[in-house]
Amino acid sequence: MLSYTDEHRGDTLCSDQPLVAVVIPAFNASTYIERTLRSAMRQTYAALEIIVVNDGSTDDTAKLVEQIAMSDSRIRLLSTPNRGVAAARNTGIEALSGRFVAFLDADDLWHPTKIEKQVSALTRLSSHWAAVYTLHYIINEDDEIIRPGSSDVARGYIYARHLNVKYIGNGSALLVRRNAALAIGGFDSSYAAAGIGGCEDLDFELKLAARHFIEVVPERLVGYRKHPGSMSSDHLRMGKSALEVVRRSLAANPQLPRYAIGSAIDATRKYAFWEFQEARRTCLSLLTLRPILRSDPRFVVRLVLQKVLRGIQHCLRLGTTTANREDQPRMKMKFDDQIPPSCLECPKETPRSRRRLMRLAAVDAKLNSSRAPSERYLMRTKVE
């Protein structure tokens, strides 16, 4: 059991900072919930309320949260029947009283400065900016950093680009104005009901991006955990979920030009292809690859060449002795409050991908300028 003292408590009633609610959906999360709560409690931003939504857990999740809550008055536990992560997040949104809400998955971690930096970025902007995200590291079961996540960033009106690049990347990166979250209806629980839950975060982000401006803090302030029991490890469901999310988003936004629609479908099919490959669903992979061959034959050519190269490398490895292999374990750095946010690497770009992003940025600019004057979102900071 972790030990907490009064120095970790936030006197939100006496604070002049805007209140931020942290919503943590938790289903059978006893393995990681203490570490996750610790990362929320150690935020340098004190004006927090931390709402853990116990989504019908059958393990010790609720008991552990109750014990930790005795040491920190900011923590509240809500228990519901198991209805999925989207419904759990909505329960938290409805119960909170803060102006802002930040979502934290029950197995992920935050850098201590995450909320402070996000609030600082968003409060400098007008109310037309609805949310702010950060970048992430991918971590393992022991909180060790496996690799950095994507370095791609964009800000402002990013709907067409987000359909393609999916900048936000995970459910623990976003801080959003509560009224904006309510205005778009919160998270859609119909995906879980249909058995294709997993990309509800993307659905929520796309609805925000279609109506609002989104800001970014370009630092790696989230530890996004990959482990066998995580939702993202169900590759078949993730692939199907992504395809359906993008299909619904495109149907809801018919004003998108043909190029942006085709580009979004192509990018999502490629994501789904890799997920189906991970799930070892060969038939689904090949079915997904067929339309990709028509839209981007170079992708398929590269795929074949990579497979041939891996086969050659495998044969060469078979001819070496174990002593010559580079299998020595490497020291891994842990994601904790001692790790400073990293400097961003330049995203890997090809001339083709650069041209695509430039065209999509032009689409976003046109979409934003074509909105009715009463709905148009001007990119400006607060004067007062």
Side-chain angles (χ1 to χ4, degrees), residues 132-357:
V132 54
Y133 66 99
T134 75
L135 302 184
H136 65 277
Y137 285 111
I138 295 172
I139 62 174
N140 64 15
E141 297 97 321
D142 300 316
D143 304 347
E144 295 170 335
I145 295 172
I146 302 172
R147 63 182 181 275
S150 171
S151 298
D152 294 304
V153 295
R155 66 187 296 272
Y157 190 83
I158 63 171
Y159 174 65
R161 283 168 288 171
H162 192 42
L163 270 167
N164 285 264
V165 182
K166 301 171 180 60
Y167 294 102
I168 300 174
N170 64 82
S172 298
L174 197 67
L175 180 143
V176 62
R177 298 184 193 272
R178 179 175 182 260
N179 59 358
L182 291 172
I184 63 171
F187 290 82
D188 190 340
S189 59
S190 68
Y191 293 99
I196 51 172
C199 291
E200 291 93 339
D201 303 328
L202 177 60
D203 179 88
F204 181 83
E205 296 156 13
L206 288 171
K207 288 174 181 174
L208 276 178
R211 299 176 60 175
H212 300 279
F213 280 7
I214 296 178
E215 179 61 295
V216 59
V217 175
E219 299 179 40
R220 301 194 189 282
L221 303 176
V222 173
Y224 175 51
R225 196 183 305 276
K226 292 276 193 177
H227 60 94
S230 65
M231 182 177 290
S232 60
S233 66
D234 189 337
H235 298 288
L236 176 62
R237 186 171 61 178
M238 291 295 290
K240 290 182 176 181
S241 184
L243 289 169
E244 179 62 13
V245 165
V246 171
R247 186 196 68 78
R248 293 188 193 183
S249 188
L250 293 175
N253 294 276
Q255 74 278 15
L256 274 172
R258 182 178 300 178
Y259 171 77
I261 293 172
S263 182
I265 292 172
D266 184 59
T268 310
R269 281 173 176 160
K270 289 173 182 174
Y271 169 82
F273 167 78
W274 290 117
E275 291 296 298
F276 297 153
Q277 283 282 94
E278 287 290 325
R280 300 182 184 279
R281 302 298 289 263
T282 305
C283 288
L284 263 179
S285 298
L286 292 176
L287 285 173
T288 309
L289 197 60
R290 281 184 63 186
I292 297 174
L293 178 60
R294 292 193 299 268
S295 63
D296 187 2
R298 283 176 290 188
F299 175 85
V300 181
V301 171
R302 288 194 301 270
L303 194 68
V304 172
L305 291 176
Q306 288 169 3
K307 187 170 184 179
V308 170
L309 181 60
R310 283 196 299 269
I312 294 172
Q313 291 173 337
H314 178 69
C315 291
L316 291 175
R317 280 197 298 268
L318 290 177
T320 62
T321 62
T322 304
N324 291 330
R325 294 178 186 172
E326 295 181 357
D327 290 338
Q328 296 301 317
R330 292 179 295 174
M331 293 295 292
K332 292 183 179 178
M333 187 176 294
K334 287 204 171 188
F335 183 95
D336 58 25
D337 56 0
Q338 303 301 315
I339 304 299
S342 73
C343 296
L344 283 189
E345 311 85 1
C346 292
K348 294 181 180 178
E349 286 187 340
T350 63
R352 187 167 185 261
S353 65
R354 194 177 303 114
R355 287 194 300 270
R356 183 186 63 145
L357 279 177

